Amino acid sequence: MTIENVIIIGSGPAGFTAGLYTARAQLNPLLITGNEIGGQVALTHEIENYPGFPEGLPGPELVERFQKQAERFGTRIEYDYVNEVDFHRHPFIVRTQSGKEYQARSVIVSTGATPRKLQVPGEEELTGRGVSYCGTCDGFFFRGKEVVVVGGGDSAIEEGIFLTRFATKVTVIHRRDELRASKILQKRAFENEKMDFIWDTVVESINAGENNAVASVTLRNVKTGEIREFPTDGVFIFIGHVPNSQIFEGQLEMKDGYVVTNKYMHTSVPGVFAAGEIQDNRFRQVASSVGQGTMAAMEAEKFLAELEDKGYEQVRAEMLGLELAGA
Ligand code: NAP
């Protein structure tokens, strides 16, 4: 069986960038896309904060450009979904849904994260039609409108404050009577005249108006049981993210479901690198994921050069700071 130099798992900004860099380093990378090519970017209406595109561009177009550039230098793309890995042996093993099995000298994990869904009626149908999971991406479209933010963590409050730049009113709907967000963010939010809070309340459904866009949410007070309809133009949901890391359980060190890396994008297994939101629950930007994909690719290149010189056991021992038995 051919042994691949690098297998990249995932096709978001980090994955395609890792493809671009490893391809340009003549490593002939194989990128396995996953079920959603482009990941969260592909679901974003317009990206206006990715440098180099002053007019902004639709998320799917940016994904297309990432892919084209990675392929131009020789990244091979497989439209498949990785459902099993074995990092306990080297070469590593990667298995896919379609039944293929690959061997790889190095792996770059860039499977991303998925915004946690409320799982209420209307949410899925109205995504992109008033329901959003990204204030930074979509806030601009709510200029002069009223929106609600669901959640009480740092993301909800930070994005809520950001949304007050555009919306005339931002109402935070939280299931408890106190926020989880840091005190400093709370203070800024409470002092912001455009922000309002509805406590002890959950969203029961998101409702469309005449133009098939969001018109209201149905709310339930968890203490009194009272149900009411609350008119709004937009629903921003920030109730956490779910990293797509299930297949790495028992393979890589993880914290809260995220793959743990050092500042060079090394995971706990020498030769396996991770980039983008699978290992970053803080920045979550296209630009930061692209940077991390670059770093992972450059480290994979360095690892492969050392591997050729010294063999896996030696490189592994050096990377983990171990003494090799008998060395
Ligand atoms: P988070 O801290 O997990 O907060 C999620 C919020 O959503 C919580 O308030 C939670 O309510 C609520 N929630 C969860 N499931 C819900 C459901 N089904 N229905 C209604 N509400 C639900 O997530 P996050 O805000 O995305 O933050 C993730 C991490 O990134 C945190 O460590 C955070 O500190 C960090 N972060 C930091 C910054 C910053 O430092 N500026 C900015 C963004 C994120 P409960 O409070 O009742 O659990």
Side-chain angles (χ1 to χ4, degrees):
M1 190 195 283
T2 320
I3 303 177
E4 301 287 345
N5 285 321
V6 194
I7 289 184
I8 298 159
I9 310 177
S11 59
F16 278 131
T17 306
L20 169 66
Y21 272 76
T22 50
R24 284 174 59 84
Q26 307 292 323
L27 295 174
N28 192 25
L30 177 74
L31 184 152
I32 304 174
T33 56
N35 284 339
E36 287 168 19
I37 299 173
Q40 292 182 68
V41 184
L43 304 174
T44 306
H45 178 68
E46 189 83 7
I47 309 241
E48 293 181 328
N49 55 4
Y50 187 63
F53 295 89
E55 318 298 335
L57 79 173
E61 188 186 327
L62 184 57
V63 171
E64 226 177 279
R65 285 171 175 265
F66 282 150
Q67 176 165 353
K68 210 167 161 186
Q69 196 173 3
E71 285 184 308
R72 178 178 157 207
F73 295 101
T75 305
R76 290 166 299 139
I77 312 267
E78 274 288 324
Y79 298 91
D80 207 343
Y81 180 86
V82 173
N83 56 11
E84 198 183 346
V85 294
D86 186 353
F87 296 154
H88 294 304
R89 44 157 292 175
H90 194 270
F92 306 122
I93 300 285
V94 173
R95 295 193 184 92
T96 68
Q97 207 163 42
S98 72
K100 289 197 180 129
E101 180 174 301
Y102 299 93
Q103 290 191 34
R105 295 184 180 92
S106 71
V107 170
I108 297 175
V109 171
S110 51
T111 48
T114 310
R116 184 171 285 126
K117 306 280 186 323
L118 272 176
Q119 294 181 312
V120 297
E123 181 180 22
E124 204 178 322
E125 302 88 298
L126 294 167
T127 294
R129 306 191 65 81
V131 173
S132 171
Y133 302 87
C134 177
T136 320
C137 322
D138 296 330
F140 194 77
F141 305 106
F142 293 86
R143 241 185 175 163
K145 299 192 168 170
E146 297 193 356
V147 300
V148 300
V149 161
V150 186
D154 280 331
S155 296
I157 301 312
E158 194 170 64
E159 299 262 355
I161 294 168
F162 177 78
L163 286 167
T164 61
R165 294 187 197 185
F166 312 102
T168 50
K169 194 172 152 211
V170 174
T171 306
V172 176
I173 298 167
H174 186 36
R175 64 183 178 183
R176 291 186 296 136
D177 62 1
E178 65 176 333
L179 297 174
R180 176 182 294 280
S182 64
K183 291 284 177 262
I184 185 153
L185 277 176
Q186 292 196 28
K187 185 168 179 288
R188 282 175 54 205
F190 293 144
E191 283 171 3
N192 191 318
E193 283 179 358
K194 287 186 177 175
M195 286 184 84
D196 220 346
F197 295 83
I198 299 180
W199 304 107
D200 298 315
T201 295
V202 292
V203 173
E204 292 271 283
S205 70
I206 303 172
N207 315 312
E210 277 174 8
N211 53 358
N212 202 24
V214 167
S216 69
V217 282
T218 302
L219 304 179
R220 178 171 57 88
N221 185 305
V222 293
K223 286 196 173 150
T224 64
E226 182 208 349
I227 297 212
R228 65 169 160 145
E229 196 162 330
F230 187 84
T232 187
D233 300 306
V235 182
F236 284 82
I237 300 166
F238 304 109
I239 58 170
H241 281 74
V242 186
N244 303 318
S245 63
Q246 247 177 326
I247 57 167
F248 307 114
E249 263 162 36
Q251 300 284 335
L252 299 174
E253 189 187 331
M254 293 205 258
K255 186 166 184 283
D256 300 330
Y258 288 85
V259 172
V260 173
T261 55
N262 67 9
K263 67 177 178 179
Y264 300 115
M265 306 295 128
H266 296 198
T267 69
S268 56
V269 175
V272 178
F273 306 86
E277 289 187 36
I278 188 64
Q279 55 81 57
D280 164 30
N281 71 352
R282 188 178 174 93
F283 297 107
R284 300 194 195 112
Q285 298 299 302
V286 179
S288 50
S289 291
V290 159
Q292 292 157 2
T294 306
M295 289 150 74
M298 292 176 76
E299 286 298 296
E301 185 188 346
K302 188 163 164 269
F303 166 82
L304 288 166
E306 288 188 9
L307 188 68
E308 201 165 314
D309 284 350
K310 303 176 185 169
Y312 187 68
E313 283 315 312
Q314 178 73 35
V315 176
R316 178 179 176 278
E318 285 176 14
M319 285 176 88
L320 294 176
L322 304 173
E323 296 275 332
L324 254 195

